[in-house]
Amino acid sequence: MYNEKYMRHAIELAKKGVGAVNPNPLVGAVIVKDDRIIGEGYHKKYGDLHAEREAFKSLSEDAEGADMYVTLEPCCHHGKQPPCVEAIVEHKIKNVYVGSDDPNELVSGKGYEYLREHGINVHTHILKEECDAINDIFFHYITKKTPYVILKYAMTMDGKIAAYTGESKWISNETSRHNSQELRNRCSGIMVGIGTVLADNPMLNCRLEGGHDPVRIICDSNMRIPLDSNIVKTAKDIRTILAVSNRLKSCLSAMELKYNELIEHGIEVIFVDETEGMIDLKSLMKQLGEMGIDSVIIEGGGSLNYSAVKVGIVNEVMIYLAPKILGGKDALTAVEGQGFEKPDMAAGFELMETRLMDGDILLRYKSV
């Protein structure tokens, strides 16, 4: 009989890989014998050993007849690492308790089948919801081939993301801002529009000690980004993608000097289809997915936010609600643009989480 505490321990181990394994999943594994943990591990870094092999590497005694708890179906194909199912069989594990099914078509039930064919008892869906929750990004990316998109912003009680002067520091409190940095560490990419770059000159890096800087993606149809902006000046240190309109290809000779200077600074310029004078976000997401970017945080202004919601690329919304009222009909709001014609045409979301953040409230929604 399984013990849920070991799967919960495996989940906590898996979370240690946040920010380091993308576009691979977060996975933790625990090996138990006579109600004692004799080995444990997690997927630490993309390309490194998988959780199961890390757990076997840490064994304090022989694993024959032991139980293994693993948060995701063990892999059964050769990638950067050999199949984990082979290691499980070699170590003569008796029972394997698994949390999540792997939707990757290279695995998807085949891992279970291999283990059972080799005489191992497989028990699935142990704390499935909790195991699934840590890999929402992976599950989306591996099945859709496009990034999991999180729209994130901080706003006041009256829905303002900045004062009428444009000043936004700070709407949210320090706890909320720290949580926001944890999100940057978790995701592969962060995206803003050129308006945000021109107005705020941001860095868009992760400010956590030892954190992972997401790939910076700038939607800039007309290649207006200043060469002296923080984004351009640091592009050799932090991977940066500039998405410009395909329209510019026909007149690139007129912009050849700036294009070459951007390339010299380390900027990756990609050409994307245009819709209504703006970057086609669906087309952009497809290109980013092909580049191995599994998740994107949108931290742009109201125009980019509206475009993302309108075309339906947003999978999740995170709102930091501050106990303040700014007022002002000219104060900036989170989602601008023309808006939807009727309330029943609005984009729909389901509330998944509310969390107090030292006075602020984090509201987390999933697209429906």
Side-chain angles (χ1 to χ4, degrees):
M1 184 63 182
Y2 67 87
N3 190 324
E4 291 184 353
K5 73 177 183 180
Y6 296 125
M7 185 61 82
R8 288 202 166 88
H9 184 52
I11 291 171
E12 293 307 308
L13 287 171
K15 291 177 182 178
K16 292 183 177 182
V18 166
V21 303
N22 307 61
N24 279 356
L26 297 168
V27 186
V30 176
I31 302 169
V32 179
K33 194 171 187 178
D34 299 327
D35 206 28
R36 296 174 292 109
I37 294 177
I38 62 170
E40 61 180 47
Y42 65 97
H43 187 29
K44 295 179 178 179
K45 185 180 179 182
Y46 178 72
D48 285 0
L49 289 177
H50 291 180
E52 296 92 328
R53 290 183 180 272
E54 283 284 357
F56 287 128
K57 192 173 73 171
S58 75
L59 281 172
S60 59
E61 62 183 82
D62 189 278
E64 182 174 356
D67 298 334
M68 171 173 272
Y69 291 77
V70 59
T71 56
L72 182 70
E73 178 180 356
C75 67
C76 54
H77 66 287
H78 284 269
K80 290 185 178 295
Q81 294 293 334
C84 290
V85 291
E86 293 180 357
I88 294 171
V89 171
E90 289 168 5
H91 283 85
K92 300 180 180 179
I93 294 293
K94 181 178 181 181
N95 293 288
V96 175
Y97 298 100
V98 183
S100 299
D101 301 327
D102 191 338
N104 186 343
E105 60 186 15
L106 296 174
V107 185
S108 193
K110 300 181 184 71
Y112 299 147
E113 183 179 353
Y114 183 97
L115 294 174
R116 286 170 175 145
E117 285 176 350
H118 287 79
I120 295 174
N121 301 314
V122 179
H123 312 267
T124 62
H125 300 171
I126 311 302
L127 299 183
K128 183 178 186 299
E129 288 187 7
E130 294 175 44
C131 290
D132 286 353
I134 64 174
N135 275 315
D136 45 6
I137 288 174
F138 171 74
F139 292 152
H140 174 89
Y141 179 70
I142 203 68
T143 56
K144 306 295 184 183
K145 313 302 182 187
T146 58
Y148 184 88
V149 177
I150 301 173
L151 175 60
K152 191 223 80 174
Y153 53 87
M155 72 178 188
T156 60
M157 292 162 60
D158 53 337
K160 310 298 185 183
I161 62 170
Y164 74 91
T165 59
E167 184 63 46
S168 62
K169 292 184 173 59
W170 292 105
I171 295 291
S172 58
N173 64 28
E174 188 174 341
T175 301
S176 292
R177 296 196 298 274
H178 181 82
N179 183 263
S180 180
Q181 293 300 313
E182 290 178 338
L183 181 63
R184 289 187 182 186
N185 180 55
R186 175 188 172 210
C187 293
S188 293
I190 182 169
M191 185 169 75
V192 300
I194 185 60
T196 296
V197 175
L198 295 174
D200 300 337
N201 194 24
M203 279 287 291
L204 302 180
N205 60 331
C206 177
R207 294 188 287 275
L208 297 179
E209 185 176 351
H212 151 80
D213 289 324
V215 178
R216 302 178 301 192
I217 303 145
I218 314 300
C219 294
D220 184 10
S221 297
N222 296 306
M223 208 185 292
R224 292 192 292 151
I225 191 167
L227 294 174
D228 63 351
S229 64
N230 286 329
I231 294 292
V232 174
K233 289 191 295 185
T234 58
K236 288 186 178 179
D237 300 316
I238 304 174
R239 186 182 178 190
T240 304
I241 296 170
L242 192 70
V244 303
S245 171
N246 263 329
R247 170 176 43 81
L248 267 62
K249 282 185 176 180
S250 62
C251 58
L252 194 58
S253 58
M255 308 184 72
E256 186 175 5
L257 177 61
K258 183 168 186 181
Y259 175 83
N260 289 336
E261 286 180 315
L262 290 172
I263 298 300
E264 288 173 7
H265 277 85
I267 298 282
E268 297 176 40
V269 179
I270 62 173
F271 294 91
V272 186
D273 292 338
E274 194 176 65
T275 301
E276 298 178 358
M278 299 181 68
I279 293 296
D280 184 316
L281 294 179
K282 280 192 173 182
S283 178
L284 176 57
M285 291 305 116
K286 183 178 179 182
Q287 289 194 45
L288 294 177
E290 291 169 352
M291 297 167 79
I293 296 174
D294 67 356
S295 48
V296 171
I297 313 161
I298 298 179
E299 288 196 17
S303 294
L304 180 62
N305 293 351
Y306 174 64
S307 295
V309 171
K310 182 182 178 182
V311 300
I313 66 166
V314 176
N315 302 105
E316 183 175 329
V317 180
M318 292 180 66
I319 303 169
Y320 298 93
L321 181 62
K324 304 171 183 177
I325 293 178
L326 267 175
K329 64 182 179 62
D330 295 324
L332 301 179
T333 59
V335 183
E336 296 178 348
Q338 182 179 10
F340 294 97
E341 186 177 347
K342 301 176 182 178
D344 60 6
M345 296 171 63
F349 294 86
E350 177 185 358
L351 180 64
M352 301 296 291
E353 179 186 5
T354 61
R355 193 191 319 171
L356 286 173
M357 310 286 285
D358 288 339
D360 290 353
I361 300 174
L362 171 61
L363 302 170
R364 181 167 163 260
Y365 296 86
K366 286 285 188 76
S367 176
V368 295

